[in-house]
Amino acid sequence: MLDPVRIQAEDFSQNEEVEALKASSRRMGGIATFIGCARDFSEGREVSQIGFEAYGSMALAEMNKLRSEAIEKFGLLDARIVHRVTTVQAGDNIVFIAAGAAHRAAAFDACRWMIDELKQRVPIWKKEITPQGDAWVTPHP
Amino acid sequence: MLDPVRIQAEDFSQNEEVEALKASSRRMGGIATFIGCARDFSEGREVSQIGFEAYGSMALAEMNKLRSEAIEKFGLLDARIVHRVTTVQAGDNIVFIAAGAAHRAAAFDACRWMIDELKQRVPIWKKEITPQGDAWVTPHP
Amino acid sequence: MIKVLFFGPVADRVQTHEMQMDFSPGMTLHNVIAHLGIQHPGAFSIVSLIAVNQNQVHDKQMALQDNDEIAFMAKFSGG
Amino acid sequence: MIKVLFFGPVADRVQTHEMQMDFSPGMTLHNVIAHLGIQHPGAFSIVSLIAVNQNQVHDKQMALQDNDEIAFMAKFSGG
């Protein structure tokens, strides 16, 4: 069984992730997932590829902490976080978050909280590769 | 390609649904999905199976309306709604909702809105089959 | 002919999913409800939505047309 | 030895992902920042987070231990 928190180059399968999530409990009534994927343009510039770099050991530790906190805070039955670190093309998957709970409200709240927190807390950086050159993305304040 | 709004007996594949959703636009940065599945107990009673019945033509029309309204209201790039109508076992999938947008806030808001509205507006009924007998589910007021 | 449909808990109580009623000019939704409600009070006590031709109807004085499809439905519980 | 790590935009400006510094007793995080900041002012102008042994550190007067791992990081942009 794949670990519930992973950083990997290869793509993930939603079917596999949701299957693994559901395996943890038969009391799960609602599963909310978020998939972040590469857009073909950003702030008006055409983007042909997006490259990622991570401080791997710290990123994985933060993602594990994030998952445990979400389970605790929202009373989840299980949660998963997978982030790709590689170079992706437009349309490719980047990040997958899943939250499973008895009822849907907790699943939605937790899923959204995890992706919001991930962006704040997990040491990963993205670089947009455009026909005009490369640029590291500066998050909005 | 599978229709974006469907009522069917067979299970769905999240991979296929998300693939189809993404095919509609390369500007999609965030996809929120919801999967409703059968819990093995409800309000303290053990549930061995859940049966569904639908007013098929009206349900499909309402689900199509729901999808169009969500796309319009939240500025989505695409959305999908699939509901199974059959008898399912604990752990089985029941409903799938997906919302794809340029950014994640709209995707989350729309996905949640669609499942909330579906429960209010789509003529489908569920019956819990328990060792103590069957009972149609009465939604909370 | 008017086609009358029942689903889920309502169908259980009427003990059928479908019946036909003769159409007569001037017939209203109210006439149908009055007629069936007397025969199946238990079923109609849980009817909370009525649709004519797949559209929810609030006005029971609505005039029916020949070949209309009426559905009597309890609260939805899908999802 | 102190291991110093740079990532993403910071690594680009320092032109390396990793360097080693000799450890000396009493050494603080501030000493490392002062030393490297003079050589790489452009890189340090975008540093917004510092971690020691994978934990974010706010107090620059923090005393270092031999074999500590320090990371200088710009704002995260994953997800």
Side-chain angles (χ1 to χ4, degrees):
Chain A
M1 188 70 82
L2 291 168
D3 200 82
V5 174
R6 308 193 308 280
I7 290 175
Q8 63 188 35
E10 63 271 22
D11 198 7
F12 46 80
S13 153
Q14 288 99 223
N15 284 354
E16 265 178 52
E17 299 298 331
V18 170
E19 208 49 57
L21 187 86
K22 284 168 70 170
S24 67
S25 170
R26 280 293 164 102
R27 301 188 175 183
M28 211 175 271
I31 298 168
T33 81
F34 176 76
I35 300 152
C37 45
R39 307 169 63 207
D40 69 354
F41 76 111
S42 166
E43 320 261 318
R45 281 169 301 125
E46 242 185 89
V47 176
S48 36
Q49 292 185 312
I50 301 180
F52 287 89
E53 193 173 309
Y55 181 8
S57 55
M58 183 176 171
L60 205 60
E62 272 297 329
M63 285 160 65
N64 270 299
K65 227 188 284 176
L66 208 53
R67 171 175 174 269
S68 302
E69 286 177 29
I71 290 173
E72 168 81 16
K73 185 177 166 79
F74 298 95
L76 299 181
L77 294 165
D78 201 5
R80 300 178 77 82
I81 308 176
V82 182
H83 201 301
R84 295 180 71 191
V85 170
T86 181
T87 298
V88 301
Q89 317 292 321
D92 284 354
N93 293 329
I94 294 168
V95 62
F96 176 83
I97 310 251
H103 300 288
R104 70 187 186 282
F108 274 119
D109 288 344
C111 186
R112 194 164 189 160
W113 182 82
M114 282 189 280
I115 182 65
D116 287 349
E117 288 288 305
L118 181 145
K119 284 174 178 269
Q120 298 290 323
R121 289 168 44 177
V122 178
I124 299 179
W125 297 268
K126 73 160 75 72
K127 176 198 267 183
E128 291 178 348
I129 299 163
T130 78
Q132 291 78 43
D134 303 354
W136 289 100
V137 172
T138 310
H140 297 284
Chain B
M1 188 69 83
L2 291 169
D3 200 84
V5 175
R6 305 194 309 280
I7 290 176
Q8 63 188 34
E10 64 271 21
D11 198 7
F12 47 80
S13 153
Q14 287 99 224
N15 282 355
E16 264 178 54
E17 299 298 331
V18 170
E19 207 50 55
L21 186 86
K22 285 167 69 169
S24 67
S25 170
R26 281 293 164 102
R27 299 189 177 184
M28 211 175 272
I31 298 168
T33 80
F34 176 76
I35 300 154
C37 44
R39 307 168 63 208
D40 69 355
F41 76 110
S42 166
E43 320 260 320
R45 282 170 300 126
E46 240 185 90
V47 176
S48 36
Q49 292 185 311
I50 301 180
F52 287 90
E53 192 172 311
Y55 182 7
S57 55
M58 184 175 169
L60 204 60
E62 271 299 329
M63 284 160 65
N64 270 298
K65 228 189 281 175
L66 209 52
R67 171 175 175 268
S68 302
E69 284 177 30
I71 290 173
E72 167 81 15
K73 185 177 167 78
F74 298 95
L76 300 181
L77 294 165
D78 201 4
R80 300 178 77 82
I81 308 176
V82 182
H83 201 301
R84 294 180 72 191
V85 170
T86 182
T87 297
V88 301
Q89 317 293 321
D92 284 355
N93 293 329
I94 295 168
V95 62
F96 176 84
I97 309 251
H103 300 288
R104 70 188 185 282
F108 274 118
D109 288 344
C111 185
R112 193 163 191 161
W113 182 83
M114 281 189 281
I115 183 64
D116 287 349
E117 289 286 307
L118 181 144
K119 285 175 176 270
Q120 298 290 324
R121 289 168 45 177
V122 177
I124 299 179
W125 298 268
K126 74 160 72 74
K127 176 198 268 181
E128 291 177 348
I129 300 163
T130 79
Q132 291 76 44
D134 303 355
W136 289 101
V137 173
T138 310
H140 297 283
Chain C
M1 279 302 193
I2 301 290
K3 188 198 268 184
V4 183
L5 302 177
F6 308 99
F7 297 96
V10 179
D12 271 14
R13 295 184 180 200
V14 179
Q15 292 184 293
T16 186
H17 275 82
E18 186 173 337
M19 53 175 75
Q20 305 282 343
M21 285 177 69
D22 287 330
F23 173 73
S24 56
M27 198 175 180
T28 64
L29 184 55
H30 178 75
N31 299 145
V32 177
I33 297 168
H35 179 75
L36 294 174
I38 287 168
Q39 295 170 43
H40 306 284
F44 276 74
S45 71
I46 59 165
V47 166
S48 67
L49 275 120
I50 303 169
V52 175
N53 302 327
Q54 291 107 53
N55 288 305
Q56 197 184 337
V57 166
H58 295 281
D59 177 12
K60 291 177 182 163
Q61 297 312 319
M62 183 187 178
L64 298 175
Q65 310 292 322
D66 199 6
N67 299 315
D68 273 356
E69 177 179 293
I70 306 177
F72 292 107
M73 301 177 280
K75 272 206 164 179
F76 309 149
S77 56
Chain D
M1 278 298 193
I2 301 287
K3 189 198 266 186
V4 183
L5 301 177
F6 308 100
F7 297 96
V10 179
D12 273 13
R13 294 183 182 201
V14 180
Q15 292 184 296
T16 186
H17 275 81
E18 186 173 338
M19 53 175 77
Q20 306 281 344
M21 283 178 69
D22 287 329
F23 172 73
S24 55
M27 199 175 179
T28 65
L29 184 55
H30 178 75
N31 298 145
V32 176
I33 297 168
H35 179 76
L36 293 174
I38 287 169
Q39 295 171 44
H40 306 284
F44 277 73
S45 70
I46 59 166
V47 167
S48 67
L49 275 119
I50 302 170
V52 175
N53 302 327
Q54 289 107 55
N55 288 305
Q56 197 184 336
V57 166
H58 294 282
D59 177 12
K60 292 178 182 161
Q61 296 312 321
M62 182 185 177
L64 298 175
Q65 310 294 322
D66 199 5
N67 299 315
D68 274 353
E69 177 180 290
I70 307 176
F72 291 107
M73 301 177 279
K75 274 206 160 178
F76 309 149
S77 56

